[in-house]
Amino acid sequence: MDSNLFSRRRAERFAQLLDEANGGRRHHVRSRADDQLTALVAVGRRLAVAPPAVEVDPEFRTGLRAMLLATAEREGIGAPAEPSSRRSADTGRSRLLPAVTARRARARGAILVGVAAGAVALSGISAASENAVPGDALYGMKRSTERAQLALASSDVSRGQLFLDFARTRLAEAAALRGDEDGFSAVLDDMDADTRQGVRLLTTAAAQRSDPAALDAINSFLTGQRRAVGGLLDDAGRADRERTRRSLALLDAARKRSDALRAAIACGLPAPAGSDALGPAPASCPGER
């Protein structure tokens, strides 16, 4: 998990948002992390209203318990009180500690509970809604789970890979909606948006690091995705075929961008200054036409 996400300030803010969601007093502050954290709180609220009828895998429970116990021990949550002799010796020093220490301890406890609830929630929602398509009751939960996964991602590379995974998911939804012209087109719009987001994050990471490793994830995605999207053309109506071809054109453009950036990195060109929806737009290497 992202260490920045669960930094001290974010942990305290997450605890505040949890309090507010459960009817506690409103805190008159805002944080730049609110958009990410609010998505996680929203998942918890949805579960409270309509919990998915799914059982968590026993191995997952065991692993989660071990992780929580280790975190509690490391953070000192639930640790026994110190002996009275040591407390007396530290009285003068403890008076100098800021009043926020207790709040931070509570925040650590709250975030630990939040991690546990969130982990169980995400596993339950994923199992219950993984086959939902637009129009199904659980589809909103499915998309909220995806936003929560993005909020928990540890880096732009991880987020880029998640967006490509979501594009694959949208493709499966589109296949289920063939014949529904409006629904089919709308899902392909979302699929293309996820593709652009994922490709842009990964090409940007590759350019910034001068490392083509992130491009491997793009190429692997494009190979399977283009073949599967092409399959949507079979027995499709005219409108569906035209819409599908636009998605195929986007995948072809992403492949060209990935290959061009890989070549630019190989010949030592500096990180491109220009960028568009697919990320950095590299110049051609010397000698190329």
Side-chain angles (χ1 to χ4, degrees):
M1 291 188 180
D2 187 359
S3 60
N4 291 327
L5 178 65
F6 296 115
S7 65
R8 180 173 296 170
R9 289 184 179 178
R10 292 193 179 206
E12 291 174 355
R13 183 57 182 151
F14 185 47
Q16 290 174 351
L17 291 174
L18 286 175
D19 286 341
E20 292 173 10
N22 290 316
R25 71 178 182 86
R26 185 169 181 79
H27 299 77
H28 299 288
V29 295
R30 275 198 60 80
S31 164
R32 287 180 297 179
D34 277 12
D35 290 341
Q36 293 179 334
L37 297 178
T38 301
L40 298 180
V41 176
V43 171
R45 295 295 294 167
R46 284 175 178 270
L47 286 174
V49 175
V54 219
E55 292 187 2
V56 180
D57 190 296
E59 292 185 4
F60 174 81
R61 287 183 183 274
T62 302
L64 178 61
R65 182 177 183 276
M67 180 197 74
L68 294 176
L69 289 175
T71 303
E73 181 178 356
R74 183 174 64 251
E75 297 292 342
I77 300 171
E82 296 180 351
S84 58
S85 58
R86 182 170 179 178
R87 287 202 306 270
S88 299
D90 291 343
T91 298
R93 181 169 57 87
S94 63
R95 288 174 181 167
L96 300 177
L97 293 177
V100 295
T101 301
R103 292 201 300 272
R104 287 173 178 169
R106 288 196 298 272
R108 289 193 186 100
I111 201 65
L112 187 59
V113 172
V115 171
V120 174
L122 290 178
S123 64
I125 293 175
S126 296
S129 64
E130 61 182 2
N131 295 321
V133 297
D136 290 350
L138 288 177
Y139 191 70
M141 281 191 174
K142 181 179 183 178
R143 298 303 294 265
S144 293
T145 303
E146 293 176 354
R147 289 192 291 271
Q149 288 176 292
L150 289 170
L152 292 170
S154 61
S155 66
D156 282 347
V157 170
S158 297
R159 277 185 283 275
Q161 292 172 331
L162 278 173
F163 273 116
L164 297 187
D165 285 341
F166 299 157
R168 293 186 182 98
T169 301
R170 302 289 86 80
L171 174 58
E173 294 167 2
L177 291 173
R178 293 176 68 175
D180 176 358
E181 183 177 326
D182 291 338
F184 180 82
S185 180
V187 170
L188 288 190
D189 287 345
D190 288 345
M191 180 186 75
D192 290 350
D194 288 335
T195 297
R196 292 188 190 94
Q197 287 271 39
V199 170
R200 181 179 59 80
L201 286 168
L202 292 170
T203 54
T204 299
Q208 289 175 343
R209 302 174 185 180
S210 295
D211 183 354
L215 303 177
D216 294 338
I218 296 177
N219 289 357
S220 176
F221 162 78
L222 292 173
T223 298
Q225 189 80 347
R226 198 190 190 291
R227 182 169 55 249
V229 172
L232 295 177
L233 294 172
D234 297 339
D235 301 322
R238 179 178 177 180
D240 285 357
R241 282 200 305 272
E242 290 178 354
R243 180 60 192 83
T244 300
R245 289 193 181 103
R246 294 208 303 271
S247 292
L248 288 172
L250 172 62
L251 296 175
D252 290 342
R255 169 69 76 172
K256 290 180 180 178
R257 178 60 53 84
S258 175
D259 291 345
L261 189 54
R262 187 184 297 273
I265 292 173
C267 67
L269 288 180
S275 184
D276 58 20
L278 295 176
S284 298
C285 292
E288 289 188 0
R289 292 184 180 180

